[in-house]
Amino acid sequence: MNQLESVCKICTRLRKDKKMDLSVCIITKNENEKLKRCLKSLAFLEADIVVVDTGFNDETKKLVTDLNARYFTFEWCDDFSAARNYSLEQARYDDIMVIDSDEWLDEKEENFNKAALESFIRRDLYTVACCYQVSIQPNVDYGKNYAVVGRIFSKKYFHYEGKAHEQPVPITENVDTRTIMVNLKMYHDGYNGAEVLKGKAKRNLDLLLKNLETDPNRVYLLFQIGRSYLGLGEYKLALEYLERTINHRDFNYNYPYSYSACDSYLQTLLALGKTELVLEKVTSFAKKFPNLADFWYNSGEIYLELNKLEEASASFKRAIKCTQTEVRDKNGDLAYYKLGQIYAYLGDIKQAKSYYEKCQPDFELAQKELLVLRQAELKQVITIYILDHFNDTEILKLTLASLKELPFEKVVVSQRKYSENDLAGGEVVQFTPAVFAEYLKGATNYGLLIHSGERLVDFNLNQLKELLTSKKTLSGYSLISSPNQVKALGYRSYYHELRLVGGASHDFYAGLLHPNAEAEEELIPLTIESPLEVRASLGFEKTTSVYANLLFMQGDYQAALNHYQAYFMACDYGLEESLHSAANAILASVFLGQLDWLATYLPQWSHYYQDFAIYQFSLGYYFKTLGEDEKAEQSFMETKRLANSLNPLINAENLEELYNAR
């Protein structure tokens, strides 16, 4: 390290170690928990901290002394300025920062805050520094009010005046002073809750009215009285004082409180139902606050109240373009959120989503609305049809219950008339299967078909949403799980079945959807459990493989084998159903001891299906029954290597044990 670097490091350390010639003055009464938070947040300043207690509380005294501050008492005399000025008298230094016990400095901004204060202290002494008072609500991280308050000055040149809403003013009259901004934030939560607000408004009003008796023409007092009456809901009195404020010869639109006065005036007019005057004044004030987001945002709120959606939308859009704001987010998230609400109300879902999506990811209000809109979109995209075969309320309820996490429209297709008390979560339409088939052909959205008695047992909603929003012309195949009486198969059979259709007309007959050549075939992330009782109720055509598979699962192996043999005389070996039929036909033949007929088909089947675990699994049983143990072991080993069966048990390691157990 060179000599210059050493000197710089020493100077930096000295600056950090040097205590600030600053006194922080606080008045408090019975707010120990908040005072504790305040004092702890000031520790990094290493300043002289003066606490004046108007409540004479021993616990407050101990708290203050324990946290290295100086404790004083002051007998309350209904005058905040008197208490403030007493605290200034106790200060060791001329440079003062005033903070309330329900305010605090953010520890994340410690170094920044200290630098801002040190910079100001070196300025000329006839200057008051204003900082931001950030009013927040518990658990809410948006819409924080950044009020501008004068808090830093020299006590040699300034003191407080005003019994309530007191302000630092020059001690000597007719001197030139100025106000500057210091980028320092004091966080504040003293006005949370309607009752607290009303209580403080009443307290302040009494003091302000007393103050007005001795200073009847002071514009700031008129403003604060009008705002207090507004907080108490006494609108006629509020209007009287706010009109006097705005029309006062000393009122200036550049005052820190000028917009607050105008906004309070507009809110009072609105509460009194003076609609025409509200609209007139909004137009007038627009010229005074062209770049203040708060004005345009609040104007948008007023237009909404008056059901003028076009004007409201224009105001919120103008707020977004503003660079000045007193309440954080009124030129950002809050304005975008309001625009999203307007367009959602107008039914323009696309525009509503676009504005909600402009909000920050942590802006929860918009994220909740986005979720609602996306679900509404999906409801328009897909309908779940529950085909009721049993006319049984309890069976149907179980099926509907399994679907409750799918945020889609649900329609029960039944010939029975259910009451609303019977079913919740699904509309009931009385279609016969034939009429439903014609209805489905004309449907413009996706349709998901589930039979009463079936249950949704697994799904991936995000993948499903992605698939649906792609708006493909689709034939979607769901994984179907059914109990199976064949012990070697683990009492369960797995296969894919067409259940989701959209974008092109699909046929529906004999209990099944049938694909359209124009549609793109795709697996969908849904698993449906379909019990044998459901399969038996669907009325499959007896010439189809699905009917043969039903007989096989029911344990009627001879009938199943007869139908398989008929099916294989003219089947398409490229279909999944033919693979399952071949595997099941081999097992049925093994269970019945009717193996001879397989010799004709096995070479052709092996050509198509040798790379599928379920086929090798059945083939292993076939060779084991013939006593060809070496070939059986080879097939079982191939089954384990492939491990691509829909049935997880067939992919397991204990295939020979399964065979012996059978």
Side-chain angles (χ1 to χ4, degrees), residues 214-486:
T214 58
D215 197 356
N217 207 34
R218 189 176 171 197
V219 64
Y220 183 73
L221 284 176
L222 296 172
F223 156 62
Q224 290 292 3
I225 291 170
R227 196 165 69 158
S228 295
Y229 277 127
L230 176 61
L232 293 168
E234 297 186 34
Y235 302 119
K236 289 184 178 180
L237 286 170
L239 183 61
E240 175 189 337
Y241 283 92
L242 290 169
E243 280 185 335
R244 287 174 63 186
T245 301
I246 292 170
N247 296 327
H248 198 284
R249 65 176 183 272
D250 293 335
F251 182 74
N252 190 312
Y253 285 96
N254 293 323
Y255 288 161
Y257 62 85
S258 61
Y259 172 65
S260 180
C262 293
D263 181 57
S264 298
Y265 178 49
L266 289 173
Q267 297 304 323
T268 303
L269 291 174
L270 195 64
L272 290 169
K274 297 181 179 292
T275 303
E276 294 302 321
L277 189 54
V278 169
L279 296 174
E280 178 188 323
K281 291 300 180 182
V282 167
T283 302
S284 173
F285 292 154
K287 300 171 186 176
K288 306 296 183 182
F289 307 105
N291 193 36
L292 182 63
D294 304 74
F295 168 75
W296 294 103
Y297 179 91
N298 293 347
S299 295
E301 292 269 39
I302 288 171
Y303 285 128
L304 282 181
E305 181 79 13
L306 299 176
N307 201 31
K308 292 181 175 292
L309 299 187
E310 187 175 343
E311 291 86 345
S313 177
S315 291
F316 291 126
K317 288 175 182 177
R318 180 71 179 267
I320 291 166
K321 296 178 181 179
C322 294
T323 57
Q324 296 177 8
T325 181
E326 292 181 4
V327 175
R328 198 189 79 178
D329 299 332
K330 283 195 172 178
N331 59 347
D333 287 348
L334 287 171
Y336 289 130
Y337 175 69
K338 286 294 181 180
L339 286 165
Q341 286 188 308
I342 290 172
Y343 283 106
Y345 174 78
L346 294 172
D348 190 340
I349 304 301
K350 184 177 179 181
Q351 276 278 60
K353 279 180 60 180
S354 73
Y355 280 110
Y356 287 140
E357 287 167 351
K358 290 179 187 293
C359 296
Q360 296 299 313
D362 60 350
F363 189 72
E364 292 184 6
L365 291 176
Q367 297 309 315
K368 289 177 181 178
E369 293 297 336
L370 268 175
L371 179 61
V372 171
L373 285 185
R374 286 166 180 158
Q375 290 179 344
E377 268 192 322
L378 286 169
K379 282 187 177 181
Q380 296 172 6
V381 168
I382 183 170
T383 302
I384 303 176
Y385 299 103
I386 302 100
L387 302 191
D388 179 29
H389 304 282
F390 296 103
N391 294 323
D392 186 303
T393 304
E394 296 307 315
I395 290 175
L396 193 51
K397 279 183 177 179
L398 291 173
T399 299
L400 285 169
S402 77
L403 301 172
K404 66 181 180 181
E405 292 187 46
L406 290 184
F408 311 135
E409 182 182 9
K410 301 172 182 70
V411 174
V412 177
V413 180
S414 177
Q415 295 185 62
R416 173 181 170 178
K417 188 174 183 179
Y418 291 95
S419 70
E420 290 185 7
N421 293 331
D422 286 336
L423 299 179
E427 178 190 355
V428 179
V429 295
Q430 290 185 281
F431 288 159
T432 63
V435 173
F436 173 68
E438 292 303 311
Y439 171 81
L440 194 62
K441 287 181 181 180
T444 57
N445 59 348
Y446 285 106
L448 175 65
L449 189 67
I450 291 182
H451 302 285
S452 60
E454 293 183 332
R455 291 189 312 117
L456 180 68
V457 293
D458 192 24
F459 65 94
N460 186 315
L461 188 56
N462 288 332
Q463 288 182 16
L464 186 60
K465 288 177 179 178
E466 186 176 345
L467 179 65
L468 295 172
T469 52
S470 69
K471 298 183 179 178
K472 293 179 179 177
T473 301
L474 185 68
S475 292
Y477 288 81
S478 174
L479 185 63
I480 306 295
S481 164
S482 286
N484 194 310
Q485 291 186 8
V486 183

Side-chain angles (χ1 to χ4, degrees), residues 497-513:
E497 192 167 275
L498 179 58
R499 291 301 184 96
L500 179 68
V501 295
S505 175
H506 289 71
D507 290 326
F508 174 76
Y509 55 87
L512 293 173
L513 287 165

